[in-house]
Amino acid sequence: MSPRGRRPAGTDTRAEIVHAASRVFASKGYQAASLRGIARDAGVDPALVHHYFAGKRELFVEAMRLPFDPAERIGAMVAGPPEQLGERIAAGFFAIWEVPESRERFVALVRSAVSDDDAGRMLREFVAREIVGRIGAAAVSPDGGERAALVASQLIGLAMLRYVVRVPQVTDVPLARLVEQVAPTLQRYLTED
Amino acid sequence: MSPRGRRPAGTDTRAEIVHAASRVFASKGYQAASLRGIARDAGVDPALVHHYFAGKRELFVEAMRLPFDPAERIGAMVAGPPEQLGERIAAGFFAIWEVPESRERFVALVRSAVSDDDAGRMLREFVAREIVGRIGAAAVSPDGGERAALVASQLIGLAMLRYVVRVPQVTDVPLARLVEQVAPTLQRYLTED
């Protein structure tokens, strides 16, 4: 029985593409997955994938049910005066995690990345390229990738202790204080020699 | 058939106690577990538990099959001149993770802590008390617990990216350079106002 109510044209095709994308990202990883391969898996013309999605990243965001596009948020965080880069990144990071729906989704993603090798590879490649890569482009120093990875390590460690494992010495600290403590660390990683 | 070869007296009783400890730590958490409760679960006299194990921490180390006692390592890291505290902690932390058996065991523990609520609580309580608590005691400032939690967050984030999820921008960095980058962060958390 197909539903009879009004529905935007192509909803099923679009959903098919998203499902195919989940499968292809999980089996091939983020790096090797292509819009063409996803179209093949979904049994549709590649042009149709391009019709619905601007690119691989946008399709990944939807396939992973991310509550927003991390690349867009990072773009907003890195824009602005370089002296407050660390503070903007720290504040922006926690602002995302403090939203309950985002937090739940991210905790679930961390769990799958840690326990499942395919999910781990997929997220590793996405984080390396779309998150570390973008923060790295904002670093002053030429080894931007390494600097951004240090930033990511500090933030991921805090997210682990505050939201995933919930160690009291971290969950008890007011958010503003956490930002104040961590911002200089991020600033140093990104801007000092 | 019981083995006939030579064997230290009480091996079975000791193993019984360790098994009971695994069960009790998992069901009650680290904090609420007691040597008396573990003795009861093992069906032995509490004095026998004390005969084999110096205390709850030593029993936990064995029940979790930790390759060494973290509290002892931390004791060694925090001893020495306070100006190099960050460097000693960073170097000591990576020295542990770079040993393959330790790394494998820790990756397994991180996986269980992240995916299983009981394991998560048990490890959270152990980390809060025996690791964060001990580093905190070395902090100059009165809010030592919070400072030590920041140290732990930086180190755990690095371990996640380097050993668990294996993001190339972190795995590619030579160890000495990682220590050099991270030591000032730990030093600042522990010693600055």
Side-chain angles (χ1 to χ4, degrees), chain B residues 2-64:
Chain B
S2 66
R4 290 295 199 119
R6 290 173 65 189
R7 171 179 86 193
T11 298
D12 284 352
T13 308
R14 196 178 184 288
E16 266 306 306
I17 294 170
V18 172
H19 281 131
S22 310
R23 287 189 296 267
V24 173
F25 284 128
S27 65
K28 285 195 177 301
Y30 183 71
Q31 198 92 19
S34 68
L35 292 189
R36 179 169 292 275
I38 290 167
R40 199 180 312 123
D41 189 281
V44 303
D45 192 272
L48 209 53
V49 177
H50 284 286
H51 168 72
Y52 287 117
F53 297 96
K56 183 160 79 167
R57 194 188 81 226
E58 288 78 1
L59 190 43
F60 184 84
V61 166
E62 188 147 335
M64 292 299 105

Side-chain angles (χ1 to χ4, degrees), chain B residues 10-153:
Chain B
T11 298
D12 284 352
T13 308
R14 196 178 184 288
E16 266 306 306
I17 294 170
V18 172
H19 281 131
S22 310
R23 287 189 296 267
V24 173
F25 284 128
S27 65
K28 285 195 177 301
Y30 183 71
Q31 198 92 19
S34 68
L35 292 189
R36 179 169 292 275
I38 290 167
R40 199 180 312 123
D41 189 281
V44 303
D45 192 272
L48 209 53
V49 177
H50 284 286
H51 168 72
Y52 287 117
F53 297 96
K56 183 160 79 167
R57 194 188 81 226
E58 288 78 1
L59 190 43
F60 184 84
V61 166
E62 188 147 335
M64 292 299 105
R65 296 185 289 122
L66 300 184
F68 55 83
D69 185 341
E72 285 175 13
R73 294 291 178 99
I74 291 167
M77 290 177 203
V78 299
E83 315 84 69
Q84 284 109 43
L85 191 53
E87 199 184 318
R88 281 199 307 279
I89 292 176
F93 179 81
F94 288 114
I96 290 167
W97 279 86
E98 291 288 323
V99 176
E101 309 88 76
S102 305
R103 179 169 61 239
E104 279 165 27
R105 187 65 197 127
F106 286 145
V107 169
L109 284 173
V110 169
R111 290 193 159 148
S112 75
V114 164
S115 56
D116 177 276
D117 281 345
D118 285 339
R121 179 170 64 131
M122 182 173 71
L123 281 162
R124 168 171 71 242
E125 292 177 359
F126 181 77
V127 168
R129 178 157 160 186
E130 304 291 357
I131 297 184
V132 176
R134 270 161 211 274
I135 298 175
V140 172
S141 101
D143 53 351
E146 180 185 318
R147 303 312 190 92
L150 288 166
V151 167
S153 75

Side-chain angles (χ1 to χ4, degrees), chain A residues 107 110-111 113-117 120 123-124 127-129 132-133 143 145-147 149-150 152-154 156-158 160-161 164-170 173-174 177-178 180-185 188-189 193, chain B residues 107 110-111 113-117 120 123-124 127-129 132-133 143 145-147 149-150 152-154 156-158 160-161 164-170 173-174 177-178 180-185 188-189 193:
Chain A
V107 169
V110 169
R111 290 192 159 148
V114 165
S115 56
D116 178 278
D117 281 346
L123 280 162
R124 170 171 71 240
V127 168
R129 179 157 159 187
V132 176
D143 52 353
E146 181 185 318
R147 302 313 190 92
L150 288 166
S153 75
Q154 174 61 91
I156 286 169
L158 278 168
M160 284 288 289
L161 292 186
V164 183
V165 182
R166 297 192 305 282
V167 168
Q169 289 104 328
V170 179
V173 181
R177 175 150 175 80
L178 218 46
E180 184 188 296
Q181 289 285 340
V182 167
T185 299
R188 183 173 70 78
Y189 287 153
D193 288 334
Chain B
V107 169
V110 169
R111 290 193 159 148
V114 164
S115 56
D116 177 276
D117 281 345
L123 281 162
R124 168 171 71 242
V127 168
R129 178 157 160 186
V132 176
D143 53 351
E146 180 185 318
R147 303 312 190 92
L150 288 166
S153 75
Q154 174 60 90
I156 286 168
L158 278 167
M160 284 287 291
L161 293 186
V164 183
V165 183
R166 297 192 306 279
V167 168
Q169 289 104 327
V170 179
V173 182
R177 176 150 175 82
L178 219 45
E180 185 186 294
Q181 290 284 340
V182 166
T185 299
R188 183 174 69 78
Y189 289 153
D193 289 334

